[in-house]
């Protein structure tokens, strides 16, 4: 069983306890919409595992509050409130309820909110934030590292294109030629390579780099 499948199964189990019977079909629909979206599934998993109000509740939809460099601030909108989750491929953190209208200064800055007051004002109406689209249909997100169009990939992302040869950066041989090494063995090699890459100019994510899901092409693995 693959990892996402396992996640979906666990969420379905948790939902049995948290979601009132009458809402079960709607709650299931969301799980189907986000079946291949790792970030969304992680939010669902976290929510149903730790139910913020410690009572029955269910997620109606996800809204995108902020995003930058593969890090997302998502709001899980439930029957009671909306809850903030900071999420990336590295992990998830709970950041309280939208009704509180509070976000740490560090996050306000990171996601370019002009002020705490403005965030609080916007948070008062969840419709101020767009609905979060699943990764399969959101072409402005790198399906592997979640960089946005125009942002650099996370180093090691299989979608990143090599600026020297135009091939797949994690598979081409350019790193050895650039470093003049037979193989890369130390962290120092990696740091040095990253510097050379920055000097050359990294190729940012664009939707054209996206492998089509029907034909992922040679060597491209999304998971
Ligand atoms: Zn990427
Ligand atoms: Zn190359």
């Amino acid at each position: 069983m693959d990892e996402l499948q396992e996640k979906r199964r666990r969420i379905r189990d948790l939902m049995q306890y948290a979601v009132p019977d009458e809402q079960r079909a709607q709650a299931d629909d969301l799980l189907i919409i986000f079946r291949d979206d790792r970030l969304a599934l992680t939010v669902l998993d976290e929510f149903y595992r730790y139910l913020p109000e410690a009572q029955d509740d269910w997620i109606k939809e996800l809204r995108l509050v902020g995003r930058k460099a593969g890090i997302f601030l998502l709001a899980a909108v439930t029957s009671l409130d909306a809850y903030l989750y900071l999420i990336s491929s590295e992990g998830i953190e709970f950041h309280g309820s939208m009704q509180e209208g509070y976000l740490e200064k560090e996050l306000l800055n990171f996601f370019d909110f002009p002020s705490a007051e403005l965030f609080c004002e916007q948070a008062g109406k969840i419709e101020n934030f767009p609905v979060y689209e699943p990764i399969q249909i959101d072409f402005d997100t790198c399906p592997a590292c979640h960089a946005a169009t125009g942002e650099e990939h996370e180093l090691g992302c299989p979608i990143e294109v090599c600026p020297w040869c135009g091939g797949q950066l994690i598979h081409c041989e350019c790193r050895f030629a650039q470093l003049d090494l037979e193989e890369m063995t130390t962290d120092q090699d990696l740091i040095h390579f990253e510097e050379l890459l920055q000097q050359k100019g990294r190729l940012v994510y664009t939707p054209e780099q996206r492998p089509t899901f029907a034909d992922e092409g040679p060597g491209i693995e999304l998971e």
Side-chain angles (χ1 to χ4, degrees):
M1 192 160 42
D2 74 28
E3 194 201 327
L4 292 183
Q5 198 178 358
E6 204 177 305
K7 241 188 173 104
R8 289 195 297 268
R9 180 168 295 189
R10 196 169 56 225
I11 293 165
R12 217 167 269 129
D13 285 347
L14 291 164
M15 280 167 60
Q16 281 180 15
Y17 301 101
V19 184
D21 286 344
E22 318 81 73
Q23 272 84 42
R24 189 59 203 270
Q26 276 172 277
D28 277 343
D29 285 348
L30 204 71
L31 190 55
I32 292 165
I33 292 170
F34 291 109
R35 54 177 295 114
D36 296 315
D37 188 310
R38 181 182 303 275
L39 298 185
L41 290 179
T42 303
V43 171
L44 295 181
D45 190 30
E46 185 81 2
F47 174 83
Y48 285 115
R49 207 191 288 229
Y50 299 108
L51 293 171
E53 301 295 328
Q55 67 179 86
D56 289 357
D57 197 5
W58 62 287
I59 299 180
K60 296 176 177 182
E61 63 176 5
L62 298 176
R63 295 261 172 179
L64 179 64
V65 178
R67 72 173 293 177
K68 196 180 196 180
I71 301 174
F72 288 67
L73 188 63
L74 296 183
V77 184
T78 76
S79 64
L80 301 172
D81 198 342
Y83 301 95
L84 287 167
Y85 292 91
L86 184 68
I87 165 117
S88 73
S89 48
E90 303 288 305
I92 183 162
E93 267 177 24
F94 178 64
H95 278 271
S97 104
M98 286 293 264
Q99 274 173 16
E100 289 164 16
Y102 171 79
L103 196 61
E104 283 163 35
K105 196 158 193 255
E106 202 185 319
L107 292 181
L108 287 170
N109 292 340
F110 182 76
F111 290 112
D112 301 321
F113 287 107
S115 70
E117 291 71 31
L118 205 77
F119 175 76
C120 184
E121 198 182 304
Q122 276 193 291
K125 198 166 169 238
I126 197 69
E127 290 77 21
N128 285 327
F129 301 103
V131 171
Y132 173 72
E133 302 280 7
I135 197 99
Q136 314 90 283
I137 62 166
D138 173 15
F139 279 47
D140 277 323
T141 298
C142 171
C145 77
H146 307 117
T149 296
E151 285 182 340
E152 285 179 4
H153 295 270
E154 204 175 294
L155 194 63
C157 174
I159 311 289
E160 181 161 2
V161 175
C162 172
W164 287 285
C165 74
Q168 207 181 340
L169 185 62
I170 59 163
H171 287 306
C172 71
E173 302 285 315
C174 295
R175 76 199 89 163
F176 307 114
Q178 291 302 321
L179 289 168
D180 199 16
L181 289 172
E182 297 281 314
E183 55 180 333
M184 282 170 75
T185 49
T186 66
D187 286 350
Q188 213 52 44
D189 293 344
L190 189 66
I191 290 166
H192 188 197
F193 179 62
E194 200 173 353
E195 283 166 6
L196 293 171
L197 200 54
Q198 293 294 357
Q199 281 166 22
K200 174 75 180 166
R202 289 178 70 174
L203 297 178
V204 297
Y205 172 72
T206 62
E208 298 75 53
Q209 292 167 359
R210 211 178 158 89
T212 59
F213 280 79
D215 171 21
E216 293 179 354
I220 294 186
E221 284 174 42
L222 293 181
E223 298 304 334

Coordinates of all heavy atoms in Angstrom, one line a residue, residues 138-211:
D138 N -3.8 22.3 -9.8 CA -3.2 23.6 -9.6 C -1.9 23.6 -10.4 O -0.9 23.2 -9.8 CB -3.0 23.8 -8.1 CG -2.2 25.1 -7.9 OD1 -2.1 25.9 -8.8 OD2 -1.8 25.3 -6.7
F139 N -1.9 24.1 -11.6 CA -0.7 24.1 -12.4 C 0.4 25.1 -11.9 O 1.5 25.1 -12.4 CB -1.0 24.4 -13.9 CG -1.5 23.1 -14.6 CD1 -2.5 22.3 -13.9 CD2 -1.0 22.7 -15.8 CE1 -2.9 21.1 -14.5 CE2 -1.5 21.5 -16.4 CZ -2.4 20.8 -15.8
D140 N 0.0 26.0 -11.1 CA 1.0 27.0 -10.6 C 1.8 26.5 -9.4 O 2.4 27.2 -8.7 CB 0.3 28.3 -10.2 CG 0.1 29.2 -11.5 OD1 1.0 29.1 -12.3 OD2 -0.9 29.8 -11.6
T141 N 1.7 25.2 -9.1 CA 2.5 24.6 -8.0 C 3.3 23.4 -8.5 O 2.7 22.5 -9.2 CB 1.5 24.1 -6.9 OG1 0.8 25.2 -6.4 CG2 2.3 23.4 -5.8
C142 N 4.6 23.4 -8.2 CA 5.4 22.2 -8.6 C 4.8 21.0 -7.9 O 4.7 21.0 -6.6 CB 6.8 22.5 -8.2 SG 7.8 21.0 -8.4
P143 N 4.5 19.9 -8.6 CA 3.8 18.8 -8.0 C 4.8 18.0 -7.0 O 4.3 17.2 -6.2 CB 3.4 17.9 -9.1 CG 4.3 18.3 -10.3 CD 4.6 19.8 -10.1
A144 N 6.1 18.3 -7.1 CA 7.0 17.5 -6.2 C 7.4 18.3 -5.0 O 7.4 17.8 -3.9 CB 8.2 17.1 -7.0
C145 N 7.8 19.6 -5.2 CA 8.3 20.4 -4.0 C 7.4 21.5 -3.6 O 7.7 22.2 -2.7 CB 9.8 20.9 -4.3 SG 9.8 22.3 -5.4
H146 N 6.3 21.7 -4.4 CA 5.3 22.8 -4.1 C 5.8 24.2 -4.2 O 5.2 25.1 -3.7 CB 4.7 22.6 -2.7 CG 4.2 21.2 -2.4 ND1 4.7 20.3 -1.5 CD2 3.2 20.5 -3.1 CE1 4.1 19.2 -1.5 NE2 3.2 19.2 -2.5
A147 N 6.9 24.4 -5.0 CA 7.3 25.8 -5.3 C 6.2 26.3 -6.2 O 5.5 25.6 -7.0 CB 8.6 25.8 -6.1
A148 N 6.0 27.7 -6.1 CA 5.0 28.3 -7.0 C 5.6 28.7 -8.3 O 6.9 28.7 -8.4 CB 4.4 29.6 -6.3
T149 N 4.8 29.0 -9.4 CA 5.4 29.5 -10.6 C 6.3 30.7 -10.3 O 5.9 31.6 -9.6 CB 4.2 29.9 -11.6 OG1 3.5 28.7 -11.9 CG2 4.8 30.5 -12.9
G150 N 7.5 30.7 -10.8 CA 8.4 31.8 -10.6 C 9.3 31.6 -9.4 O 10.3 32.3 -9.2
E151 N 9.1 30.6 -8.6 CA 9.9 30.3 -7.4 C 10.9 29.2 -7.7 O 10.7 28.3 -8.5 CB 9.1 29.9 -6.2 CG 8.3 31.0 -5.6 CD 7.5 30.5 -4.3 OE1 7.3 29.3 -4.2 OE2 7.1 31.3 -3.5
E152 N 12.1 29.3 -7.0 CA 13.1 28.2 -7.1 C 12.5 26.9 -6.5 O 11.8 27.0 -5.5 CB 14.4 28.6 -6.4 CG 15.2 29.6 -7.1 CD 16.4 30.0 -6.4 OE1 16.7 29.4 -5.3 OE2 17.1 30.9 -6.9
H153 N 12.9 25.8 -7.1 CA 12.6 24.5 -6.5 C 13.4 24.3 -5.3 O 14.5 24.9 -5.1 CB 12.9 23.4 -7.5 CG 12.1 23.4 -8.8 ND1 10.9 22.7 -8.9 CD2 12.3 24.0 -10.0 CE1 10.4 22.9 -10.1 NE2 11.2 23.7 -10.8
E154 N 12.9 23.4 -4.5 CA 13.8 22.9 -3.4 C 14.9 22.1 -4.0 O 14.7 21.4 -4.9 CB 12.9 22.0 -2.5 CG 13.3 21.9 -1.1 CD 12.3 21.0 -0.3 OE1 11.1 21.5 -0.2 OE2 12.7 19.9 0.0
L155 N 16.1 22.3 -3.5 CA 17.2 21.6 -4.1 C 17.0 20.1 -3.9 O 16.7 19.6 -2.8 CB 18.6 22.0 -3.4 CG 19.8 21.5 -4.2 CD1 19.9 22.2 -5.6 CD2 21.1 21.8 -3.4
G156 N 17.1 19.3 -5.0 CA 16.8 17.9 -5.0 C 15.5 17.6 -5.6 O 15.1 16.4 -5.7
C157 N 14.7 18.6 -5.9 CA 13.4 18.4 -6.5 C 13.6 17.7 -7.9 O 14.4 18.2 -8.7 CB 12.6 19.7 -6.7 SG 11.1 19.5 -7.6
P158 N 12.9 16.6 -8.2 CA 13.0 16.0 -9.5 C 12.5 16.7 -10.7 O 12.8 16.4 -11.8 CB 12.2 14.7 -9.3 CG 11.3 14.9 -8.2 CD 11.9 16.0 -7.3
I159 N 11.8 17.8 -10.5 CA 11.3 18.6 -11.6 C 12.2 19.7 -12.0 O 12.2 20.2 -13.1 CB 9.9 19.3 -11.2 CG1 8.9 18.3 -10.6 CG2 9.2 19.9 -12.4 CD1 8.4 17.2 -11.5
E160 N 13.2 20.0 -11.2 CA 14.1 21.1 -11.5 C 15.0 20.8 -12.7 O 15.5 19.7 -12.8 CB 15.0 21.5 -10.3 CG 16.0 22.6 -10.6 CD 16.6 23.3 -9.4 OE1 16.3 22.9 -8.3 OE2 17.3 24.3 -9.7
V161 N 15.0 21.8 -13.6 CA 15.7 21.6 -14.9 C 17.2 22.2 -14.7 O 17.4 23.2 -14.1 CB 15.0 22.4 -16.0 CG1 15.8 22.3 -17.3 CG2 13.6 21.8 -16.2
C162 N 18.1 21.4 -15.2 CA 19.5 21.8 -15.1 C 19.8 23.0 -16.0 O 19.5 23.0 -17.2 CB 20.4 20.7 -15.5 SG 22.2 21.1 -15.6
P163 N 20.4 24.1 -15.5 CA 20.7 25.3 -16.3 C 21.8 25.1 -17.3 O 22.0 25.9 -18.2 CB 21.0 26.4 -15.3 CG 21.5 25.7 -14.1 CD 20.8 24.3 -14.1
W164 N 22.6 24.0 -17.1 CA 23.7 23.8 -18.0 C 23.3 22.9 -19.2 O 23.6 23.3 -20.3 CB 24.9 23.1 -17.3 CG 25.6 24.0 -16.3 CD1 26.5 25.0 -16.7 CD2 25.5 24.0 -14.9 NE1 27.0 25.6 -15.5 CE2 26.4 25.1 -14.4 CE3 24.8 23.3 -14.0 CZ2 26.5 25.4 -13.1 CZ3 24.9 23.6 -12.6 CH2 25.8 24.7 -12.2
C165 N 22.6 21.9 -18.9 CA 22.3 20.9 -20.1 C 20.8 20.9 -20.4 O 20.4 20.3 -21.4 CB 22.8 19.5 -19.7 SG 21.8 18.7 -18.5
G166 N 20.0 21.4 -19.6 CA 18.5 21.4 -19.9 C 17.9 20.1 -19.5 O 16.7 19.9 -19.7
G167 N 18.7 19.2 -18.9 CA 18.1 17.9 -18.4 C 17.5 18.0 -17.0 O 17.4 19.1 -16.5
Q168 N 17.3 16.8 -16.5 CA 16.8 16.8 -15.1 C 17.9 16.9 -14.1 O 18.8 16.1 -14.1 CB 16.1 15.4 -15.0 CG 15.0 15.4 -14.0 CD 14.4 14.0 -13.9 OE1 14.6 13.2 -14.8 NE2 13.7 13.7 -12.8
L169 N 17.9 18.0 -13.3 CA 19.1 18.3 -12.5 C 19.5 17.2 -11.6 O 20.7 17.0 -11.3 CB 18.8 19.6 -11.7 CG 19.9 20.2 -10.9 CD1 21.1 20.6 -11.8 CD2 19.5 21.4 -10.1
I170 N 18.5 16.5 -11.0 CA 19.0 15.4 -10.1 C 19.6 14.2 -10.8 O 20.2 13.4 -10.2 CB 17.8 14.9 -9.1 CG1 16.6 14.4 -9.9 CG2 17.4 16.0 -8.2 CD1 15.7 13.5 -9.0
H171 N 19.4 14.1 -12.1 CA 19.9 13.0 -12.8 C 21.1 13.2 -13.8 O 21.8 12.3 -14.1 CB 18.8 12.2 -13.6 CG 17.9 11.5 -12.7 ND1 18.3 10.5 -11.8 CD2 16.5 11.5 -12.5 CE1 17.3 10.1 -11.1 NE2 16.2 10.7 -11.6
C172 N 21.2 14.5 -14.2 CA 22.3 14.7 -15.2 C 23.6 14.7 -14.6 O 23.8 14.6 -13.4 CB 22.0 16.1 -16.0 SG 22.4 17.5 -14.9
E173 N 24.7 14.7 -15.4 CA 26.0 14.5 -14.9 C 26.7 15.9 -14.7 O 27.9 15.9 -14.3 CB 26.9 13.8 -16.0 CG 26.3 12.4 -16.4 CD 26.6 11.4 -15.3 OE1 27.7 11.4 -14.8 OE2 25.6 10.6 -14.9
C174 N 26.0 17.0 -14.9 CA 26.7 18.3 -14.9 C 27.3 18.6 -13.5 O 28.4 19.3 -13.5 CB 25.7 19.4 -15.2 SG 25.1 19.3 -16.9
R175 N 26.8 18.1 -12.4 CA 27.4 18.5 -11.1 C 28.8 18.0 -11.0 O 29.6 18.7 -10.4 CB 26.5 17.9 -10.0 CG 26.7 16.4 -9.8 CD 25.5 15.8 -9.0 NE 24.5 15.4 -9.9 CZ 23.5 14.6 -9.6 NH1 23.4 14.2 -8.4 NH2 22.6 14.2 -10.5
F176 N 29.1 16.8 -11.6 CA 30.5 16.3 -11.6 C 31.4 17.2 -12.4 O 32.5 17.5 -12.0 CB 30.5 14.9 -12.0 CG 29.6 14.0 -11.3 CD1 28.5 13.4 -11.9 CD2 29.7 13.8 -9.9 CE1 27.6 12.6 -11.2 CE2 28.8 13.1 -9.2 CZ 27.7 12.5 -9.9
A177 N 31.0 17.5 -13.6 CA 31.8 18.4 -14.5 C 32.0 19.8 -13.8 O 33.1 20.3 -13.8 CB 31.1 18.6 -15.8
Q178 N 31.0 20.3 -13.2 CA 31.1 21.6 -12.6 C 32.0 21.6 -11.4 O 32.8 22.6 -11.2 CB 29.7 22.2 -12.2 CG 28.8 22.5 -13.3 CD 29.4 23.6 -14.3 OE1 30.0 24.5 -13.8 NE2 29.2 23.4 -15.6
L179 N 31.9 20.6 -10.6 CA 32.8 20.5 -9.4 C 34.1 19.9 -9.7 O 35.0 19.9 -8.9 CB 32.1 19.6 -8.3 CG 30.8 20.3 -7.7 CD1 30.1 19.2 -6.9 CD2 31.2 21.4 -6.8
D180 N 34.2 19.3 -10.9 CA 35.5 18.6 -11.3 C 35.8 17.5 -10.3 O 36.9 17.4 -9.8 CB 36.6 19.7 -11.4 CG 37.8 19.1 -12.2 OD1 37.5 18.1 -13.0 OD2 38.9 19.6 -12.1
L181 N 34.7 16.7 -10.1 CA 34.9 15.6 -9.2 C 34.3 14.3 -9.8 O 33.5 14.4 -10.7 CB 34.1 15.8 -7.9 CG 34.5 16.9 -6.9 CD1 33.5 17.1 -5.8 CD2 35.8 16.5 -6.2
E182 N 34.8 13.2 -9.4 CA 34.2 11.9 -9.8 C 32.9 11.6 -9.2 O 32.0 11.0 -9.7 CB 35.2 10.8 -9.5 CG 36.6 10.9 -10.2 CD 36.5 10.5 -11.7 OE1 35.9 9.4 -11.9 OE2 37.0 11.2 -12.5
E183 N 32.8 12.0 -7.9 CA 31.6 11.8 -7.2 C 31.4 12.8 -6.1 O 32.4 13.4 -5.7 CB 31.5 10.4 -6.6 CG 32.7 10.0 -5.7 CD 32.5 8.6 -5.1 OE1 31.4 8.1 -5.0 OE2 33.6 8.0 -4.8
M184 N 30.2 13.0 -5.6 CA 30.0 14.0 -4.5 C 29.8 13.2 -3.2 O 29.0 12.3 -3.1 CB 28.7 14.8 -4.8 CG 28.9 15.9 -5.8 SD 27.3 16.6 -6.3 CE 27.0 17.6 -4.9
T185 N 30.7 13.5 -2.3 CA 30.7 12.7 -1.1 C 30.4 13.5 0.2 O 29.8 12.9 1.2 CB 32.0 12.0 -0.8 OG1 33.1 13.0 -1.0 CG2 32.2 10.9 -1.8
T186 N 30.7 14.8 0.2 CA 30.5 15.5 1.5 C 29.4 16.6 1.3 O 29.0 17.0 0.2 CB 31.8 16.2 1.8 OG1 32.1 17.2 0.9 CG2 33.0 15.2 1.9
D187 N 29.0 17.1 2.5 CA 28.1 18.2 2.5 C 28.7 19.4 1.9 O 28.0 20.2 1.2 CB 27.7 18.6 4.0 CG 26.8 17.6 4.6 OD1 26.3 16.7 3.9 OD2 26.6 17.7 5.8
Q188 N 30.0 19.5 2.0 CA 30.8 20.6 1.4 C 30.6 20.7 -0.1 O 30.4 21.7 -0.7 CB 32.3 20.5 1.8 CG 33.0 21.8 2.0 CD 32.2 22.8 2.9 OE1 31.8 22.4 4.0 NE2 32.1 24.0 2.5
D189 N 30.7 19.5 -0.7 CA 30.5 19.3 -2.1 C 29.1 19.9 -2.5 O 29.0 20.6 -3.5 CB 30.6 17.9 -2.6 CG 32.0 17.3 -2.4 OD1 32.9 18.1 -2.3 OD2 32.1 16.0 -2.4
L190 N 28.1 19.5 -1.7 CA 26.8 19.9 -2.0 C 26.6 21.4 -1.9 O 26.0 22.1 -2.8 CB 25.8 19.2 -1.1 CG 24.3 19.4 -1.4 CD1 24.0 18.7 -2.7 CD2 23.5 18.8 -0.3
I191 N 27.2 22.0 -0.9 CA 27.1 23.5 -0.7 C 27.8 24.2 -1.8 O 27.3 25.2 -2.4 CB 27.8 23.9 0.7 CG1 26.9 23.4 1.8 CG2 28.0 25.4 0.8 CD1 27.5 23.4 3.2
H192 N 29.0 23.6 -2.2 CA 29.7 24.2 -3.3 C 28.9 24.2 -4.6 O 28.8 25.1 -5.4 CB 31.1 23.5 -3.5 CG 32.0 24.2 -4.5 ND1 33.1 23.6 -5.0 CD2 32.0 25.4 -5.0 CE1 33.7 24.4 -5.9 NE2 33.0 25.5 -5.9
F193 N 28.3 23.0 -4.8 CA 27.5 22.9 -6.0 C 26.3 23.9 -6.0 O 26.0 24.5 -7.1 CB 26.9 21.4 -6.2 CG 26.1 21.2 -7.4 CD1 26.6 21.4 -8.6 CD2 24.8 20.9 -7.2 CE1 25.8 21.2 -9.8 CE2 24.0 20.7 -8.4 CZ 24.5 20.9 -9.6
E194 N 25.7 24.0 -4.9 CA 24.6 25.0 -4.8 C 25.0 26.4 -5.1 O 24.3 27.1 -5.8 CB 24.0 24.9 -3.4 CG 22.5 25.4 -3.3 CD 21.8 25.3 -2.0 OE1 22.4 24.6 -1.1 OE2 20.7 25.8 -1.8
E195 N 26.2 26.7 -4.7 CA 26.8 28.1 -5.0 C 27.0 28.2 -6.5 O 26.6 29.3 -7.1 CB 28.1 28.3 -4.3 CG 28.0 28.6 -2.8 CD 29.4 28.5 -2.1 OE1 30.4 28.2 -2.8 OE2 29.3 28.6 -0.9
L196 N 27.5 27.2 -7.1 CA 27.7 27.3 -8.6 C 26.4 27.4 -9.3 O 26.3 28.1 -10.3 CB 28.5 26.0 -9.1 CG 29.9 25.9 -8.6 CD1 30.5 24.5 -9.0 CD2 30.8 27.0 -9.2
L197 N 25.5 26.7 -8.8 CA 24.1 26.7 -9.4 C 23.5 28.1 -9.3 O 22.9 28.6 -10.2 CB 23.3 25.7 -8.6 CG 22.0 25.1 -9.2 CD1 22.3 24.5 -10.6 CD2 21.4 24.1 -8.3
Q198 N 23.7 28.7 -8.1 CA 23.1 30.1 -7.9 C 23.8 31.0 -8.9 O 23.2 31.9 -9.5 CB 23.4 30.6 -6.5 CG 22.5 29.8 -5.4 CD 21.0 30.0 -5.5 OE1 20.6 30.8 -6.4 NE2 20.3 29.3 -4.7
Q199 N 25.2 30.9 -9.0 CA 25.9 31.8 -9.9 C 25.4 31.6 -11.4 O 25.2 32.6 -12.1 CB 27.4 31.5 -9.9 CG 28.1 32.0 -8.7 CD 29.5 31.4 -8.5 OE1 30.1 30.9 -9.4 NE2 30.0 31.5 -7.3
K200 N 25.2 30.4 -11.8 CA 24.7 30.1 -13.1 C 23.3 30.7 -13.3 O 23.0 31.2 -14.4 CB 24.8 28.6 -13.4 CG 24.2 28.2 -14.7 CD 25.2 28.5 -15.9 CE 24.5 28.0 -17.2 NZ 25.2 28.6 -18.3
G201 N 22.5 30.6 -12.3 CA 21.1 31.0 -12.3 C 20.2 29.8 -12.4 O 20.2 29.1 -13.4
R202 N 19.5 29.6 -11.3 CA 18.6 28.4 -11.3 C 17.4 28.6 -12.1 O 16.9 29.8 -12.2 CB 18.3 28.1 -9.8 CG 19.5 27.5 -9.0 CD 19.1 27.3 -7.6 NE 18.2 26.1 -7.5 CZ 17.9 25.6 -6.3 NH1 18.4 26.1 -5.2 NH2 17.1 24.6 -6.2
L203 N 16.9 27.6 -12.7 CA 15.6 27.7 -13.4 C 14.4 27.5 -12.5 O 14.3 26.5 -11.9 CB 15.6 26.7 -14.6 CG 16.7 26.9 -15.6 CD1 16.7 25.8 -16.7 CD2 16.7 28.2 -16.2
V204 N 13.6 28.5 -12.4 CA 12.5 28.5 -11.5 C 11.4 27.6 -12.1 O 11.4 27.3 -13.3 CB 11.9 30.0 -11.3 CG1 13.0 30.8 -10.6 CG2 11.5 30.6 -12.6
Y205 N 10.4 27.3 -11.2 CA 9.3 26.5 -11.6 C 8.4 27.2 -12.6 O 8.1 28.4 -12.4 CB 8.5 26.0 -10.4 CG 7.2 25.3 -10.9 CD1 7.3 24.0 -11.4 CD2 6.0 25.9 -10.8 CE1 6.1 23.3 -11.9 CE2 4.8 25.2 -11.2 CZ 4.9 24.0 -11.8 OH 3.8 23.3 -12.2
T206 N 8.1 26.5 -13.7 CA 7.0 27.0 -14.6 C 6.1 25.8 -14.9 O 6.5 24.7 -14.9 CB 7.6 27.5 -15.9 OG1 8.2 26.5 -16.6 CG2 8.5 28.7 -15.8
P207 N 4.8 26.1 -15.2 CA 3.9 25.0 -15.4 C 4.3 24.1 -16.6 O 4.0 22.9 -16.6 CB 2.6 25.7 -15.8 CG 2.7 27.0 -15.1 CD 4.1 27.4 -15.2
E208 N 5.1 24.6 -17.6 CA 5.6 23.7 -18.7 C 6.5 22.6 -18.2 O 6.6 21.6 -18.9 CB 6.3 24.5 -19.7 CG 5.6 25.6 -20.4 CD 5.4 26.8 -19.5 OE1 6.3 27.4 -19.0 OE2 4.2 27.3 -19.3
Q209 N 7.1 22.8 -17.0 CA 8.0 21.7 -16.5 C 7.2 20.5 -16.0 O 7.8 19.5 -15.7 CB 8.9 22.3 -15.4 CG 9.9 23.3 -15.8 CD 10.5 24.0 -14.7 OE1 10.2 23.8 -13.5 NE2 11.4 25.0 -14.9
R210 N 6.0 20.7 -15.8 CA 5.1 19.8 -15.1 C 5.0 18.5 -16.0 O 4.6 18.6 -17.1 CB 3.8 20.4 -15.0 CG 3.0 19.9 -13.8 CD 1.7 20.7 -13.8 NE 0.7 20.0 -13.0 CZ 0.6 20.2 -11.7 NH1 1.3 21.0 -11.1 NH2 -0.3 19.4 -11.1
P211 N 5.3 17.4 -15.4 CA 5.1 16.1 -16.2 C 3.6 15.9 -16.3 O 2.9 16.3 -15.3 CB 5.7 15.0 -15.3 CG 5.7 15.6 -13.9 CD 5.8 17.1 -14.0

